[in-house]
Amino acid sequence: MNRLVGADLFFKCENFQKTGAFKARGAVNTVIQLSSDIESVVTHSSGNHGAALAWATSLREMKSFVVVPTDASPFKRRNMERYGATLIDCGQELESRESVLHDFLEKHDATFIHPYDDARIITGQGSATVELLESECNVDQIWVPVGGGGLASGAILAANGNVEVVCAEPVLARDAYLSIQTGYRQPPLPPVTIADGLRSSLGELNFGILKAASTQVALASEDSIIHAARLVFEMMKIVIEPSAAVVVAAMLENPSLVAKRVGVILSGGNVPCPHEFG
């Protein structure tokens, strides 16, 4: 992998994290700060945040509800239910998620936990970068995928200007790239990329952090994402999901942006088997 990318790579394998993704970090950090009188929480998610929140709330014997697109990965739906979440179906578009969530909150006494546009979530996700820098303190860059921006903005805060953070994003979901280019937060593109965890719109808090740091966003094509997931499986013998493979794909497609020593956060591995990559 070092030879292919042209750099010394140091992987932070969040695919081995509890619930299979980095999302466990932000969920736990948020739930442990909730007051003791809260009995139920609700969120919207395509899978990983929902599973993480379900697990985190189970530690405090709370109920969790997750608004989920009907086209979400069947594996990720099962994963959320496995950790105790009650699923509420919605359409594919962000507007549908928000509408169904609003209706639920009108009828139920539950606390909304945003999947990424929340300071507690951002801080929790940043702990992955803290650990990476403690392990490899002399890296020149950290590459992370960006969707809603929780992991990316947490990485920037944790790096604290001492290490450059580069974000990777699918071409078909490049709202973060366009937001940085224009200086204004852009709406999400149609949710068609294979990297289902990166279909979210970049959050307001998250965009502010990325913009203030003048963050570079590198893009990856769909074919490159699939190829990168297969490469990681074949060469490193670990399974990652397409959203995590975006980072490797973007480095392979944008070699001029890659420094000499690079920390790489592999964000998750929630797929039933490598054959799901097509």
Side-chain angles (χ1 to χ4, degrees):
M1 291 296 290
N2 287 354
R3 181 180 58 79
L4 286 176
V5 176
D8 292 329
L9 306 177
F10 303 89
F11 291 94
K12 181 66 171 167
C13 296
E14 291 295 292
N15 51 313
F16 297 140
Q17 181 61 263
K18 187 70 174 180
T19 75
F22 74 93
K23 294 283 190 178
R25 297 173 178 274
V28 169
N29 189 55
T30 302
V31 168
I32 61 175
Q33 297 183 59
L34 298 177
S35 62
S36 58
D37 60 333
I38 293 176
E39 298 180 353
S40 300
V41 300
V42 63
T43 192
H44 57 77
S45 172
S46 61
N48 287 348
H49 172 68
L53 190 63
W55 171 64
T57 52
S58 73
L59 302 178
R60 291 192 56 181
E61 298 183 346
M62 296 176 178
K63 296 179 181 178
S64 61
F65 299 87
V66 185
V67 176
V68 186
T70 54
D71 67 336
S73 160
F75 175 82
K76 290 188 176 181
R77 292 176 71 94
R78 291 194 301 272
N79 203 33
M80 287 185 277
E81 292 176 324
R82 198 175 286 131
Y83 285 104
T86 299
L87 306 188
I88 306 160
D89 286 339
C90 69
Q92 299 179 27
E93 304 294 334
L94 180 62
E95 292 79 6
S96 177
R97 289 194 193 195
E98 294 176 342
S99 175
V100 172
L101 175 68
H102 180 268
D103 290 345
F104 179 88
L105 289 170
E106 287 284 309
K107 300 173 183 176
H108 299 85
D109 182 19
T111 298
F112 173 52
I113 307 295
H114 199 285
Y116 45 85
D117 203 352
D118 183 304
R120 300 164 298 184
I121 293 286
I122 293 170
T123 303
Q125 317 304 28
S127 65
T129 297
V130 170
E131 291 176 7
L132 175 56
L133 291 175
E134 286 175 346
S135 174
E136 301 294 338
C137 59
N138 59 343
V139 295
D140 304 309
Q141 287 178 328
I142 296 174
W143 281 63
V144 298
V146 60
L151 181 64
S153 52
I156 290 168
L157 294 179
N160 197 30
N162 297 316
V163 178
E164 181 187 19
V165 175
V166 180
C167 294
E169 190 175 38
V171 170
L172 296 183
R174 60 188 183 279
D175 60 292
Y177 174 85
L178 295 173
S179 296
I180 294 298
Q181 293 295 312
T182 63
Y184 299 94
R185 190 160 63 106
Q186 300 296 307
L189 276 69
V192 294
T193 177
I194 191 175
D196 60 310
L198 306 183
R199 294 172 181 170
S200 303
S201 173
L202 184 64
E204 185 174 352
L205 276 174
N206 317 90
F207 170 60
I209 294 169
L210 267 65
K211 182 180 178 181
S214 300
T215 306
Q216 291 193 91
V217 181
L219 300 178
S221 68
E222 296 295 289
D223 287 344
S224 180
I225 294 168
I226 295 170
H227 175 64
R230 286 175 170 159
L231 275 180
V232 170
F233 178 71
E234 291 174 2
M235 300 177 68
M236 297 171 60
K237 311 308 178 191
I238 61 174
V239 175
I240 60 172
E241 60 188 87
S243 298
V246 167
V247 179
V248 177
M251 288 193 294
L252 290 171
E253 287 198 53
N254 301 272
S256 64
L257 298 182
V258 183
K260 293 296 184 183
R261 295 175 58 84
V262 181
V264 182
I265 298 183
L266 298 177
S267 55
N270 282 318
V271 290
C273 72
H275 302 298
E276 182 160 301
F277 300 132

mmCIF file of all heavy atoms in Angstrom, residues 38-69:
data_model
loop_
_atom_site.group_PDB
_atom_site.id
_atom_site.type_symbol
_atom_site.label_atom_id
_atom_site.label_comp_id
_atom_site.label_asym_id
_atom_site.label_seq_id
_atom_site.Cartn_x
_atom_site.Cartn_y
_atom_site.Cartn_z
ATOM 1 N N ILE A 38 -33.710 11.711 31.071
ATOM 2 C CA ILE A 38 -34.011 11.418 29.668
ATOM 3 C C ILE A 38 -34.145 9.906 29.493
ATOM 4 O O ILE A 38 -33.249 9.144 29.858
ATOM 5 C CB ILE A 38 -32.920 11.980 28.744
ATOM 6 C CG1 ILE A 38 -32.934 13.512 28.787
ATOM 7 C CG2 ILE A 38 -33.104 11.482 27.315
ATOM 8 C CD1 ILE A 38 -31.840 14.163 27.977
ATOM 9 N N GLU A 39 -35.262 9.478 28.918
ATOM 10 C CA GLU A 39 -35.528 8.049 28.753
ATOM 11 C C GLU A 39 -35.399 7.570 27.308
ATOM 12 O O GLU A 39 -35.150 6.389 27.065
ATOM 13 C CB GLU A 39 -36.932 7.714 29.268
ATOM 14 C CG GLU A 39 -37.114 7.995 30.760
ATOM 15 C CD GLU A 39 -38.503 7.652 31.235
ATOM 16 O OE1 GLU A 39 -39.373 7.328 30.378
ATOM 17 O OE2 GLU A 39 -38.746 7.706 32.459
ATOM 18 N N SER A 40 -35.579 8.488 26.336
ATOM 19 C CA SER A 40 -35.557 8.089 24.931
ATOM 20 C C SER A 40 -34.797 9.119 24.111
ATOM 21 O O SER A 40 -34.866 10.328 24.377
ATOM 22 C CB SER A 40 -36.982 7.966 24.379
ATOM 23 O OG SER A 40 -37.720 7.003 25.082
ATOM 24 N N VAL A 41 -34.089 8.634 23.082
ATOM 25 C CA VAL A 41 -33.423 9.523 22.137
ATOM 26 C C VAL A 41 -33.812 9.105 20.729
ATOM 27 O O VAL A 41 -34.206 7.963 20.486
ATOM 28 C CB VAL A 41 -31.888 9.494 22.290
ATOM 29 C CG1 VAL A 41 -31.465 9.914 23.682
ATOM 30 C CG2 VAL A 41 -31.335 8.114 21.952
ATOM 31 N N VAL A 42 -33.699 10.035 19.807
ATOM 32 C CA VAL A 42 -34.010 9.754 18.406
ATOM 33 C C VAL A 42 -32.961 10.426 17.530
ATOM 34 O O VAL A 42 -32.409 11.479 17.886
ATOM 35 C CB VAL A 42 -35.429 10.239 18.037
ATOM 36 C CG1 VAL A 42 -35.554 11.756 18.184
ATOM 37 C CG2 VAL A 42 -35.813 9.805 16.620
ATOM 38 N N THR A 43 -32.669 9.823 16.402
ATOM 39 C CA THR A 43 -31.734 10.394 15.444
ATOM 40 C C THR A 43 -32.164 9.978 14.046
ATOM 41 O O THR A 43 -33.138 9.240 13.881
ATOM 42 C CB THR A 43 -30.291 9.928 15.727
ATOM 43 O OG1 THR A 43 -29.380 10.724 14.955
ATOM 44 C CG2 THR A 43 -30.102 8.456 15.404
ATOM 45 N N HIS A 44 -31.440 10.448 13.045
ATOM 46 C CA HIS A 44 -31.610 9.915 11.691
ATOM 47 C C HIS A 44 -30.255 9.410 11.230
ATOM 48 O O HIS A 44 -29.206 9.962 11.584
ATOM 49 C CB HIS A 44 -32.194 10.949 10.716
ATOM 50 C CG HIS A 44 -31.404 12.214 10.580
ATOM 51 N ND1 HIS A 44 -30.243 12.303 9.846
ATOM 52 C CD2 HIS A 44 -31.622 13.464 11.084
ATOM 53 C CE1 HIS A 44 -29.782 13.545 9.879
ATOM 54 N NE2 HIS A 44 -30.588 14.267 10.639
ATOM 55 N N SER A 45 -30.256 8.329 10.464
ATOM 56 C CA SER A 45 -28.998 7.681 10.107
ATOM 57 C C SER A 45 -29.232 6.681 8.993
ATOM 58 O O SER A 45 -30.292 6.065 8.897
ATOM 59 C CB SER A 45 -28.434 6.958 11.341
ATOM 60 O OG SER A 45 -27.309 6.168 11.012
ATOM 61 N N SER A 46 -28.184 6.511 8.180
ATOM 62 C CA SER A 46 -28.212 5.438 7.181
ATOM 63 C C SER A 46 -27.674 4.142 7.761
ATOM 64 O O SER A 46 -27.686 3.112 7.098
ATOM 65 C CB SER A 46 -27.393 5.834 5.950
ATOM 66 O OG SER A 46 -26.039 6.050 6.313
ATOM 67 N N GLY A 47 -27.171 4.197 9.002
ATOM 68 C CA GLY A 47 -26.724 2.946 9.611
ATOM 69 C C GLY A 47 -25.748 3.066 10.759
ATOM 70 O O GLY A 47 -26.037 2.660 11.878
ATOM 71 N N ASN A 48 -24.574 3.616 10.534
ATOM 72 C CA ASN A 48 -23.518 3.538 11.536
ATOM 73 C C ASN A 48 -23.793 4.383 12.773
ATOM 74 O O ASN A 48 -23.559 3.944 13.897
ATOM 75 C CB ASN A 48 -22.176 3.937 10.912
ATOM 76 C CG ASN A 48 -21.636 2.864 9.991
ATOM 77 O OD1 ASN A 48 -22.118 1.743 9.975
ATOM 78 N ND2 ASN A 48 -20.621 3.204 9.207
ATOM 79 N N HIS A 49 -24.264 5.602 12.590
ATOM 80 C CA HIS A 49 -24.593 6.430 13.749
ATOM 81 C C HIS A 49 -25.768 5.829 14.518
ATOM 82 O O HIS A 49 -25.773 5.839 15.758
ATOM 83 C CB HIS A 49 -24.923 7.858 13.315
ATOM 84 C CG HIS A 49 -25.442 8.722 14.426
ATOM 85 N ND1 HIS A 49 -24.653 9.130 15.487
ATOM 86 C CD2 HIS A 49 -26.682 9.234 14.655
ATOM 87 C CE1 HIS A 49 -25.382 9.874 16.312
ATOM 88 N NE2 HIS A 49 -26.605 9.944 15.827
ATOM 89 N N GLY A 50 -26.736 5.303 13.795
ATOM 90 C CA GLY A 50 -27.888 4.696 14.450
ATOM 91 C C GLY A 50 -27.494 3.520 15.326
ATOM 92 O O GLY A 50 -27.965 3.382 16.459
ATOM 93 N N ALA A 51 -26.614 2.657 14.811
ATOM 94 C CA ALA A 51 -26.146 1.516 15.595
ATOM 95 C C ALA A 51 -25.343 1.983 16.803
ATOM 96 O O ALA A 51 -25.484 1.444 17.911
ATOM 97 C CB ALA A 51 -25.302 0.594 14.725
ATOM 98 N N ALA A 52 -24.494 2.983 16.601
ATOM 99 C CA ALA A 52 -23.676 3.498 17.696
ATOM 100 C C ALA A 52 -24.534 4.105 18.793
ATOM 101 O O ALA A 52 -24.304 3.879 19.985
ATOM 102 C CB ALA A 52 -22.690 4.537 17.157
ATOM 103 N N LEU A 53 -25.542 4.876 18.397
ATOM 104 C CA LEU A 53 -26.412 5.502 19.398
ATOM 105 C C LEU A 53 -27.234 4.454 20.140
ATOM 106 O O LEU A 53 -27.451 4.555 21.348
ATOM 107 C CB LEU A 53 -27.323 6.532 18.729
ATOM 108 C CG LEU A 53 -28.105 7.436 19.687
ATOM 109 C CD1 LEU A 53 -27.151 8.292 20.509
ATOM 110 C CD2 LEU A 53 -29.077 8.326 18.930
ATOM 111 N N ALA A 54 -27.687 3.429 19.418
ATOM 112 C CA ALA A 54 -28.436 2.348 20.059
ATOM 113 C C ALA A 54 -27.585 1.653 21.112
ATOM 114 O O ALA A 54 -28.049 1.360 22.220
ATOM 115 C CB ALA A 54 -28.920 1.348 19.013
ATOM 116 N N TRP A 55 -26.327 1.376 20.763
ATOM 117 C CA TRP A 55 -25.432 0.733 21.722
ATOM 118 C C TRP A 55 -25.161 1.642 22.915
ATOM 119 O O TRP A 55 -25.233 1.215 24.074
ATOM 120 C CB TRP A 55 -24.116 0.349 21.045
ATOM 121 C CG TRP A 55 -23.080 -0.122 22.021
ATOM 122 C CD1 TRP A 55 -23.149 -1.247 22.809
ATOM 123 C CD2 TRP A 55 -21.842 0.516 22.335
ATOM 124 N NE1 TRP A 55 -22.011 -1.342 23.582
ATOM 125 C CE2 TRP A 55 -21.196 -0.277 23.312
ATOM 126 C CE3 TRP A 55 -21.214 1.669 21.876
ATOM 127 C CZ2 TRP A 55 -19.957 0.060 23.843
ATOM 128 C CZ3 TRP A 55 -19.973 1.998 22.405
ATOM 129 C CH2 TRP A 55 -19.363 1.207 23.364
ATOM 130 N N ALA A 56 -24.867 2.922 22.644
ATOM 131 C CA ALA A 56 -24.549 3.859 23.728
ATOM 132 C C ALA A 56 -25.725 4.028 24.688
ATOM 133 O O ALA A 56 -25.549 4.057 25.913
ATOM 134 C CB ALA A 56 -24.142 5.213 23.143
ATOM 135 N N THR A 57 -26.939 4.129 24.136
ATOM 136 C CA THR A 57 -28.107 4.303 25.015
ATOM 137 C C THR A 57 -28.413 3.038 25.798
ATOM 138 O O THR A 57 -28.927 3.113 26.925
ATOM 139 C CB THR A 57 -29.349 4.714 24.199
ATOM 140 O OG1 THR A 57 -29.549 3.788 23.115
ATOM 141 C CG2 THR A 57 -29.194 6.113 23.627
ATOM 142 N N SER A 58 -28.077 1.886 25.252
ATOM 143 C CA SER A 58 -28.313 0.639 25.991
ATOM 144 C C SER A 58 -27.466 0.575 27.255
ATOM 145 O O SER A 58 -27.851 -0.075 28.236
ATOM 146 C CB SER A 58 -28.012 -0.572 25.100
ATOM 147 O OG SER A 58 -26.615 -0.736 24.899
ATOM 148 N N LEU A 59 -26.330 1.252 27.261
ATOM 149 C CA LEU A 59 -25.468 1.281 28.443
ATOM 150 C C LEU A 59 -26.123 2.045 29.582
ATOM 151 O O LEU A 59 -25.759 1.854 30.751
ATOM 152 C CB LEU A 59 -24.117 1.916 28.091
ATOM 153 C CG LEU A 59 -23.320 1.254 26.964
ATOM 154 C CD1 LEU A 59 -22.033 2.019 26.705
ATOM 155 C CD2 LEU A 59 -23.017 -0.205 27.300
ATOM 156 N N ARG A 60 -27.084 2.915 29.241
ATOM 157 C CA ARG A 60 -27.800 3.680 30.265
ATOM 158 C C ARG A 60 -29.280 3.309 30.325
ATOM 159 O O ARG A 60 -30.076 4.024 30.913
ATOM 160 C CB ARG A 60 -27.652 5.188 29.978
ATOM 161 C CG ARG A 60 -26.241 5.707 30.181
ATOM 162 C CD ARG A 60 -26.203 7.231 30.175
ATOM 163 N NE ARG A 60 -27.103 7.811 31.163
ATOM 164 C CZ ARG A 60 -27.270 9.121 31.358
ATOM 165 N NH1 ARG A 60 -26.587 9.973 30.611
ATOM 166 N NH2 ARG A 60 -28.102 9.578 32.253
ATOM 167 N N GLU A 61 -29.614 2.197 29.697
ATOM 168 C CA GLU A 61 -30.984 1.675 29.704
ATOM 169 C C GLU A 61 -31.988 2.699 29.168
ATOM 170 O O GLU A 61 -33.091 2.845 29.672
ATOM 171 C CB GLU A 61 -31.375 1.206 31.107
ATOM 172 C CG GLU A 61 -30.492 0.072 31.614
ATOM 173 C CD GLU A 61 -30.930 -0.449 32.970
ATOM 174 O OE1 GLU A 61 -31.735 0.224 33.648
ATOM 175 O OE2 GLU A 61 -30.461 -1.541 33.353
ATOM 176 N N MET A 62 -31.594 3.412 28.115
ATOM 177 C CA MET A 62 -32.480 4.329 27.404
ATOM 178 C C MET A 62 -33.008 3.647 26.151
ATOM 179 O O MET A 62 -32.419 2.691 25.651
ATOM 180 C CB MET A 62 -31.729 5.607 26.993
ATOM 181 C CG MET A 62 -31.218 6.460 28.114
ATOM 182 S SD MET A 62 -30.260 7.857 27.440
ATOM 183 C CE MET A 62 -29.829 8.717 28.955
ATOM 184 N N LYS A 63 -34.095 4.177 25.617
ATOM 185 C CA LYS A 63 -34.629 3.697 24.354
ATOM 186 C C LYS A 63 -34.059 4.545 23.219
ATOM 187 O O LYS A 63 -33.815 5.740 23.387
ATOM 188 C CB LYS A 63 -36.154 3.780 24.344
ATOM 189 C CG LYS A 63 -36.836 2.888 25.364
ATOM 190 C CD LYS A 63 -38.342 3.060 25.292
ATOM 191 C CE LYS A 63 -39.047 2.184 26.326
ATOM 192 N NZ LYS A 63 -40.527 2.393 26.287
ATOM 193 N N SER A 64 -33.858 3.922 22.060
ATOM 194 C CA SER A 64 -33.354 4.666 20.902
ATOM 195 C C SER A 64 -34.245 4.412 19.695
ATOM 196 O O SER A 64 -34.664 3.282 19.445
ATOM 197 C CB SER A 64 -31.909 4.268 20.584
ATOM 198 O OG SER A 64 -31.824 2.895 20.274
ATOM 199 N N PHE A 65 -34.525 5.487 18.960
ATOM 200 C CA PHE A 65 -35.308 5.430 17.729
ATOM 201 C C PHE A 65 -34.456 6.041 16.620
ATOM 202 O O PHE A 65 -33.803 7.063 16.819
ATOM 203 C CB PHE A 65 -36.610 6.202 17.882
ATOM 204 C CG PHE A 65 -37.511 5.676 18.970
ATOM 205 C CD1 PHE A 65 -37.369 6.117 20.288
ATOM 206 C CD2 PHE A 65 -38.493 4.740 18.692
ATOM 207 C CE1 PHE A 65 -38.190 5.634 21.296
ATOM 208 C CE2 PHE A 65 -39.318 4.247 19.685
ATOM 209 C CZ PHE A 65 -39.165 4.689 20.995
ATOM 210 N N VAL A 66 -34.491 5.411 15.447
ATOM 211 C CA VAL A 66 -33.665 5.876 14.332
ATOM 212 C C VAL A 66 -34.521 5.998 13.077
ATOM 213 O O VAL A 66 -35.151 5.026 12.648
ATOM 214 C CB VAL A 66 -32.489 4.921 14.053
ATOM 215 C CG1 VAL A 66 -31.590 5.515 12.962
ATOM 216 C CG2 VAL A 66 -31.680 4.654 15.317
ATOM 217 N N VAL A 67 -34.544 7.190 12.498
ATOM 218 C CA VAL A 67 -35.206 7.422 11.214
ATOM 219 C C VAL A 67 -34.233 6.979 10.118
ATOM 220 O O VAL A 67 -33.113 7.501 10.027
ATOM 221 C CB VAL A 67 -35.582 8.904 11.048
ATOM 222 C CG1 VAL A 67 -36.179 9.158 9.670
ATOM 223 C CG2 VAL A 67 -36.555 9.335 12.147
ATOM 224 N N VAL A 68 -34.647 6.002 9.301
ATOM 225 C CA VAL A 68 -33.746 5.338 8.368
ATOM 226 C C VAL A 68 -34.315 5.361 6.951
ATOM 227 O O VAL A 68 -35.485 5.017 6.752
ATOM 228 C CB VAL A 68 -33.525 3.860 8.777
ATOM 229 C CG1 VAL A 68 -32.466 3.224 7.895
ATOM 230 C CG2 VAL A 68 -33.160 3.754 10.236
ATOM 231 N N PRO A 69 -33.527 5.740 5.951
ATOM 232 C CA PRO A 69 -33.998 5.666 4.561
ATOM 233 C C PRO A 69 -34.353 4.234 4.171
ATOM 234 O O PRO A 69 -33.682 3.288 4.590
ATOM 235 C CB PRO A 69 -32.800 6.180 3.751
ATOM 236 C CG PRO A 69 -31.975 6.955 4.719
ATOM 237 C CD PRO A 69 -32.163 6.300 6.050
#
